Amino acid sequence: DTAVSQTPKYLVTQMGNDKSIKCEQNLGHDTMYWYKQDSKKFLKIMFSYNNKELIINETVPNRFSPKSPDKAHLNLHINSLELGDSAVYFCASSPPGVLGAKNIQYFGAGTRLSVL
Amino acid sequence: GQQVMQIPQYQHVQEGEDFTTYCNSSTTLSNIQWYKQRPGGHPVFLIQLVKSGEVKKQKRLTFQFGEAKKNSSLHITATQTTDVGTYFCAGRITTDSWGKLQFGAGTQVVVTP
């Protein structure tokens, strides 16, 4: 009954492979996000979807492709993985409603990606 | 470039001591949030400040939002080992209609008994 759940929790793969990370939230939120956290703990937003529509698309290589089949799910597919993609990827969601509450991020447990 | 700066990057604290982490923005913020990430964990929302000069307390944690809404601070008194983790501030840039948060780089806190 985890609120924001990501799978897999750990992902170890070879350079050049393609992999996907899945995220689901059961909070009834309408906005979902992908963040990348590097080894220095810096959190950088990658994408955001609101009701299945892409609203934030930061400067991210086009090897990264998000997909939101419905507002409760946001997946991230990565093509041709590179060493620099190694990081922790966090999914998050935020509720609808007034602007203040709308911003609060509820994070998943993260997916630790290691590219060898 | 990064619009929300956070200092210090690292903080070593003796148990029982106080410390403060600071967050500064180059632009006016509509609100600021603070999150805590325990080692190996995920960021967890602590608090949100909206009003100019606002001060909020959570037990030993005191959060402040500057008068100009460009800076914020988190002060922890009588640090405990449970305070270990990385504290992030995250500000919403006023002009950003979709409410994108700009996270600071975080302050990694280590507490020695």
Side-chain angles (χ1 to χ4, degrees), chain B residues 15 25 28 43-44 77:
Chain B
E15 193 172 15
S25 171
T28 304
V44 175
T77 58

Side-chain angles (χ1 to χ4, degrees), chain B residues 3-105:
Chain B
Q3 292 178 286
V4 175
M5 307 297 293
Q6 195 173 348
I7 55 169
Q9 189 177 359
Y10 300 97
Q11 181 80 58
H12 290 256
V13 191
Q14 195 84 22
E15 193 172 15
E17 289 182 342
D18 302 351
F19 77 90
T20 304
T21 174
Y22 299 90
C23 190
N24 294 292
S25 171
S26 55
T27 55
T28 304
L29 302 170
S30 63
N31 60 53
I32 194 153
Q33 297 173 4
W34 285 88
Y35 291 79
K36 178 183 178 181
Q37 183 178 16
R38 293 182 186 275
H42 59 278
V44 175
F45 173 77
L46 293 177
I47 208 158
Q48 177 169 266
L49 305 170
V50 179
K51 298 176 183 175
S52 169
E54 190 170 12
V55 178
K56 286 188 177 180
K57 292 192 176 185
Q58 285 181 351
K59 297 182 181 178
R60 295 178 295 103
L61 278 59
T62 301
F63 303 84
Q64 192 164 5
F65 202 7
E67 292 290 342
K69 300 182 78 172
K70 285 188 174 184
N71 57 75
S72 181
S73 64
L74 160 59
H75 181 77
I76 301 183
T77 58
T79 305
Q80 299 176 359
T81 53
T82 53
D83 295 325
V84 164
T86 302
Y87 293 83
F88 293 96
C89 63
R92 179 180 175 269
I93 308 301
T94 307
T95 57
D96 192 319
S97 60
W98 278 109
K100 182 177 66 178
L101 288 178
Q102 295 275 353
F103 277 82

